[in-house]
Amino acid sequence: MNQSLLPASRCLQPVSHLRKINGSVRGFATAFNWEDPLVASELYTEEELAIQDTARQYCQERLLPRVLDAYRNENYDRKILEEMGELGLLGASIEGYGCAGASTVASGLITKEVERVDSGYRSGMSVQSSLAMTAIYEFGSQELKDRLLPGLAKGKIAGCFGLTEPNHGSDPGSMETVAREHPTKKGYYSLSGTKTWITNSPISDIMVVWAKLESGGKIRGFVVERDQCPPGTLETPAIKNKTALRASITGLIQMDDCPVPKENMFPDVEGLTGPFTCLNSARLGIAFGAMGALEDCLSRARTYALERKQFKGNPLAKYQLIQKKLADAATDAAYGTLAATQVARLKDDGKSTPEMISMIKRQNCDRALANSRILQEIFGGNATSDEYHIARHAANLFVVQTYEGQSDIHTLILGRAITGVQAFV
Amino acid sequence: MNQSLLPASRCLQPVSHLRKINGSVRGFATAFNWEDPLVASELYTEEELAIQDTARQYCQERLLPRVLDAYRNENYDRKILEEMGELGLLGASIEGYGCAGASTVASGLITKEVERVDSGYRSGMSVQSSLAMTAIYEFGSQELKDRLLPGLAKGKIAGCFGLTEPNHGSDPGSMETVAREHPTKKGYYSLSGTKTWITNSPISDIMVVWAKLESGGKIRGFVVERDQCPPGTLETPAIKNKTALRASITGLIQMDDCPVPKENMFPDVEGLTGPFTCLNSARLGIAFGAMGALEDCLSRARTYALERKQFKGNPLAKYQLIQKKLADAATDAAYGTLAATQVARLKDDGKSTPEMISMIKRQNCDRALANSRILQEIFGGNATSDEYHIARHAANLFVVQTYEGQSDIHTLILGRAITGVQAFV
Amino acid sequence: MNQSLLPASRCLQPVSHLRKINGSVRGFATAFNWEDPLVASELYTEEELAIQDTARQYCQERLLPRVLDAYRNENYDRKILEEMGELGLLGASIEGYGCAGASTVASGLITKEVERVDSGYRSGMSVQSSLAMTAIYEFGSQELKDRLLPGLAKGKIAGCFGLTEPNHGSDPGSMETVAREHPTKKGYYSLSGTKTWITNSPISDIMVVWAKLESGGKIRGFVVERDQCPPGTLETPAIKNKTALRASITGLIQMDDCPVPKENMFPDVEGLTGPFTCLNSARLGIAFGAMGALEDCLSRARTYALERKQFKGNPLAKYQLIQKKLADAATDAAYGTLAATQVARLKDDGKSTPEMISMIKRQNCDRALANSRILQEIFGGNATSDEYHIARHAANLFVVQTYEGQSDIHTLILGRAITGVQAFV
Amino acid sequence: MNQSLLPASRCLQPVSHLRKINGSVRGFATAFNWEDPLVASELYTEEELAIQDTARQYCQERLLPRVLDAYRNENYDRKILEEMGELGLLGASIEGYGCAGASTVASGLITKEVERVDSGYRSGMSVQSSLAMTAIYEFGSQELKDRLLPGLAKGKIAGCFGLTEPNHGSDPGSMETVAREHPTKKGYYSLSGTKTWITNSPISDIMVVWAKLESGGKIRGFVVERDQCPPGTLETPAIKNKTALRASITGLIQMDDCPVPKENMFPDVEGLTGPFTCLNSARLGIAFGAMGALEDCLSRARTYALERKQFKGNPLAKYQLIQKKLADAATDAAYGTLAATQVARLKDDGKSTPEMISMIKRQNCDRALANSRILQEIFGGNATSDEYHIARHAANLFVVQTYEGQSDIHTLILGRAITGVQAFV
């Protein structure tokens, strides 16, 4: 060690430049691996890798065979939640209540494997895990947690999350759904209002709904239980003819003086802190998930480019313009995976901030979407056949980019964080 | 831990999801830091951070005040090499010979700090460290190492690296420089040919030159020592009126039957393995360096946007179109830094491959260049004043993108690695 | 006139710088019109504008109400061809045979109006007009023209165009479909092979099919008449579950020793001249059509941005990031319309070349696709509802970009035209 | 003509679809011409083409040989204005006063030819023609016109245009320069304030300066004549060390109680109407000029790509990634030229609006800049030699994009025009 490089006081310990990033030494990567170009796998523990393998095996063997039919017919199989529950994939980073208690990184890897098959399937899982379960786990009373989390973890209970309204998407603070003292049922609130674009609402047993208290106008969270709602007070019609995410089910939550017991209100959180906490959890998952979808696009495009021959028997993979599309996608997938991993690690260490999650949600979704579209070009007209899967990914990723904070909104969150000046209005 | 998530055999150890990424706990990042949005600093050891601080202090205090004049007048101060040598910044990752023996990550951080000031200054350092010193360290005889490395490490000897020729840039394998048995001087080769775009050649004491052996045509490496060359056999004229990198000095190496002792030929390496090994080292440094330049562009643009007021007294930072430019740049800088760090770590662990370095060299240079240009827009007409520094960075980064493998070349290297099919011709 | 500006011989006539571009003076454009920012309408004759109005009225009143259901159910209404035929929209630039004999510009404007509603509807029209009718008009015997063109013009006969094969898209010269002397039917060829992605094939009465003659291997064109084909020799199954262009019907043409009378072979054209002539006509129409789709996206996005309010009651249109999307789209639509108009005018003047058409087909499709996707972002999650139409346009435009010469192919056509060097292989 | 295509009242005249766009038939374009891919030349009159030829010959023969040295040394040759004046290139679209009285299109073509050599030379001409001369022609008293325009037209008098101030660029309405009744000189105003980034100010004989009247605060225009200003009241120091446009001379206008006769104030215009009228004229010229610079970049890159060989002796032009760069640039140059021509024609017909000019100024500058940078990549490291000219163009075009309305400002002008809502603040 050249002493002049360091002030004397800093020179006490030797430089250990062969220090491992993680404890497990898993053999030398002697060759470039296009599926993991920057060897993100080195950043994961054995346990995390094992969880990823379990999730991958399930997704490829059980979800992939169902997705074409589900997407064509807008038909979400309710049993998927139970299957995921059996494997411990739901609420995987929650401690207790029958949950896996895995790291945030492991949860992200699960998400990535599900979205490798379909963003809609991942949405169905995310709304259960990151939104409904996280809301109850973080903000619910002990009674609610004890009563609901185990069933949610097993997928026996299906949950959803009602924040967005027909007139308020990017600006949830202006929500119109209201909670007032129930005029007749003592100990109850009465909820009225409409939530829309709610993944899983038509099949949900319980709904986490955010509403403004009539007195004071503060936003509060409620757990609405379907089987406790009198007829006519709760409707959850499905939205059909969607242009994407057709393998998930989406609907409204229409509440008309819907009575909810006061103990179903989250006791200690008000304002947007509640929903934003859940959204942060979901967005981190999306940052992983989008990389799964992108990796699947890349893998399928690569295979197609090697098998499809045009002009003198050359595979498409032989052409420079094709190689550029593949190289760009591989790069963005590798970079995005590193960034998501880093933020998940920081979260587990208590060092993450919402702005970091805005950064990776925005960037990973933007790049996944852009690259999926460019990779789609490799398939030419054949991309129009849904059996090549690429058009489905590209259509889905548009929604993934736009929900849970459209990219422009995250741009402005980042802009504010960088400059200290807000530019929303 | 939910047992069903894992096969039984994998369940022996508990998940430690609070594991630290590195051993040092350095306080919670409770707030978003726009200068390190994804907290790359968590990935560095105390020693690496200390080395970065040392480099940063030198660069900001000693290099920054010189750069405007140097760039205006194409005037590279030879003393800079000695200053860097005194601090241990040259060949920092080499063990022994008076070098720092720091990690590859630490070397990358030094590079980043120098390029934060100017890509030309970083070029001058890279050619000394990654090209000349690495070549001799990896391939030179023990005698060459003992005789030259200590002086190179101190900056007492200036070195350069002659690979590119007027007609052969991206395709060095077609080089025309030739080495033949010297017709009259026994024990000597005679080198003839011209190298161009050689950073530091006009001021170099020694030159690592690659040439084809007349017999056999194999590419071999030679150390040409200026003070051993008879008059008329070696000229190194400077290239003037450059459009960028004007704070570095660039020239030709013109050899006309230049005699070189046989023991100055690298004994055990032939073909492109030699130069490509050095280039890989340099490219990894560039991947870090470009992020330094980009971070400086971002910092300067942010300051300008906060201070410059247009329309009703609003700072530019208040406008959405400005915030988008800043958010994009911050994201790319953060992602690129993580990726470079990962590859440097892999290199120290013996797990890196050249394709990884192609990926990060290409992506980090492309993104640094693109963002520097977009950030330049924030300055409007004032960008035309060199005192805002932004135009200099943008002009430099074009060259950084194009040298040591133009991005298109790295695209094709990646394309080949992904598909197994080459598309160069 | 300053005499020194011109050589003497050129100075005889005064500069008439108030010369009109076209003869009709139609009032001063005193205000900027976002729907025609560069006043392309000034370039059209009264007749052309009248034809456009007729087409627009039909499309908005008769096609638009059908499109949602058609797209959802992949249900193309065969009557549309007859309706278009009644209005003279089919083969509009053909002289005689009951066709309108309008200018190429007028045909382009028709195309634009149809695609303003849906690219699939435009595809159904293009294949009839530009491909089937143009092939017969340009290359068919007089008998074929007299017998088929009037029915095609009226939409009583439906036609299609079989060039692409499952293994040969961008490289039709390698087609495998073969025509041999019929072994048993004298005066007949026997066609065998499969064409795919053929718009209208399942409902076509006649098919223009390109095949290689067994003897000599030259590509020749044939008119296959469905009602003349013995059972088992011709099948045209529909391709279902398409990811785009679902309002058009697409299928295969499977020929198994299908007998075709020798007089149904185009007599005087061989090689790719035939199909490329037709494709050029279709591509010019596409260059107009894509601008129609883009204009509709822009119009819908603008309306949405004005009506949708987020953050303090501001319409989205008030935000800079939204305005940029609108400004970019308006610019590309205006530029693309001017360019398509110019080439159509040149074609009518006998001064167009295929490379010009490659240029405008590529650019207009690329820009329409890119902008439609960016405009889609304005709708946020609501873009997922097909009732906003934007996702349908965006999905369609991907196919429009890829068929009749994927953009990369046109890139290489242009590259060859610019450099004189081919880079296809 | 198919009658059903048109309402009866519109069917009286036959469609003349062979109508020429302009009267001159100048031979069939039987081959694709990469230098004018969409045959814009068909849109010009003989006179306009002759003027373009005259300008081109001058620029290539007289300006091109001077530009390298001028750019290196920031040395603008004052004689250029006189040479241009002799040829009638200054104020070419002005009627009378010794000006050419050519069409706006012809003026645009002159601009294009000058900028084909250098954007700085074009700036020097534009400030004389479109800003100084247009201001005096449109707003000056008859006395001012008679006295100054002939000398300006001949280049005997050099003029400039002072609008931008150190603190007010995009927002000139907030200017601080003030004009007050001169305290001692009767019949005089006294001007105080500083203008910056003023092309030609150090060599100007007269300056059009915009200032706010102390009483009332209205912006008014003044002609400041250098030889009438007492010592110490007017300074015009040059700005040195510019990062671009170095072949033009740029400076400040510093006025300290500078006396200006009241008859030198423009009598009938106040507010921003005056400067914006001139800027519109200049911007239209820039839209042409930027296409000239882009065409030169394309031509040089094409030549380089054909001559430079890498990998098995292939010219760079043989590679797909290179061809894409060329094809993109050729397309944007062709489209931009058509659009500029259209707006110039509309202007001559009294049908143009400022928003149209915003559209073409923004788009043509953006595309010229982006393509020049991409074409620069073709030159690899050799782009760093100023003798290839490409880096100079790219550096210049950044300024061209940013002055006379930075692209973001034009985006917001267009956004306002499209939506009716302003988003500046």
Side-chain angles (χ1 to χ4, degrees), chain B residues 72 166-167 169-171 197 241-243 308 310-311 319 325 373 380 382-384 398 402 408 424-425, chain D residues 72 166-167 169-171 197 241-243 308 310-311 319 325 373 376 380 382-384 398 402 408 424-425:
Chain B
R72 286 176 183 172
N167 294 318
S170 295
D171 180 23
W197 295 117
N241 298 306
K242 286 186 298 176
T243 62
R308 178 80 173 176
Q310 294 288 287
F311 298 114
Y319 298 116
K325 299 179 212 284
R373 287 165 166 178
N382 282 335
T384 314
F398 169 77
T402 205
D408 286 346
F424 289 93
V425 291
Chain D
R72 286 177 183 171
N167 294 319
S170 296
D171 179 23
W197 296 117
N241 298 305
K242 286 188 297 176
T243 62
R308 178 81 174 177
Q310 294 288 289
F311 299 114
Y319 299 117
K325 299 180 212 284
R373 288 165 166 177
Q376 195 180 2
N382 282 333
T384 314
F398 169 76
T402 206
D408 286 346
F424 290 92
V425 290

Side-chain angles (χ1 to χ4, degrees), chain B residues 405-424:
Chain B
Q406 203 273 334
S407 285
D408 286 346
I409 299 298
H410 288 301
T411 298
L412 299 179
I413 290 172
L414 288 171
R416 182 179 56 191
I418 294 168
T419 64
V421 184
Q422 73 84 8
F424 289 93

Side-chain angles (χ1 to χ4, degrees), chain B residues 100-275:
Chain B
S103 69
T104 300
V105 170
S107 283
L109 294 174
I110 293 169
T111 304
K112 189 174 177 184
E113 290 311 319
V114 178
E115 193 150 358
R116 195 184 299 280
V117 174
D118 189 75
S119 302
Y121 285 150
R122 200 267 307 136
S123 299
M125 182 182 72
S126 289
V127 78
Q128 178 89 351
S129 295
S130 294
L131 297 181
M133 292 178 72
T134 295
I136 293 168
Y137 179 70
E138 294 286 346
F139 305 115
S141 65
Q142 192 60 46
E143 185 275 335
L144 279 174
K145 292 195 229 186
D146 290 336
R147 182 158 60 86
L148 297 176
L149 285 177
L152 286 160
K154 287 292 175 213
K156 301 290 186 191
I157 302 173
C160 67
F161 187 85
L163 177 65
T164 295
E165 298 184 355
N167 294 318
H168 307 285
S170 295
D171 180 23
S174 303
M175 68 175 58
E176 298 169 37
T177 297
V178 68
R180 56 176 68 89
E181 293 276 332
H182 199 282
T184 56
K185 293 185 79 165
K186 197 168 166 65
Y188 278 77
Y189 285 104
S190 163
L191 268 63
S192 292
T194 300
K195 302 292 181 178
T196 193
W197 295 117
I198 308 303
T199 301
N200 282 358
S201 84
I203 60 166
S204 284
D205 305 297
I206 64 114
M207 286 144 248
V208 172
V209 169
W210 304 91
K212 280 186 179 163
L213 279 191
E214 190 181 39
S215 64
K218 286 277 171 41
I219 293 171
R220 301 299 295 257
F222 300 83
V223 177
V224 178
E225 301 179 67
R226 187 189 295 271
D227 62 6
Q228 306 296 317
C229 299
T233 65
L234 175 74
E235 300 291 338
T236 57
I239 299 172
K240 285 296 182 186
N241 298 306
K242 286 186 298 176
T243 62
L245 287 192
R246 293 165 61 95
S248 71
I249 184 165
T250 310
L252 293 88
I253 303 175
Q254 297 168 325
M255 296 162 291
D256 186 10
D257 286 332
C258 180
V260 178
K262 288 196 171 177
E263 54 269 29
N264 276 23
M265 185 175 81
F266 296 146
D268 299 320
V269 66
E270 61 182 26
L272 288 168
T273 303

Side-chain angles (χ1 to χ4, degrees), chain A residues 13-33:
Chain A
Q13 295 112 30
V15 172
S16 166
H17 71 272
L18 293 170
R19 194 182 53 80
K20 299 295 176 298
I21 291 178
N22 75 49
S24 63
V25 177
R26 302 182 313 111
F28 270 25
T30 49
F32 180 78
N33 173 9

Side-chain angles (χ1 to χ4, degrees), chain A residues 384-404:
Chain A
T384 315
S385 163
D386 64 354
E387 297 184 1
Y388 285 100
H389 296 277
I390 186 86
R392 177 172 51 81
H393 274 312
N396 283 341
L397 285 167
F398 169 76
V399 188
V400 175
Q401 184 206 35
T402 206
Y403 69 15
E404 311 229 354

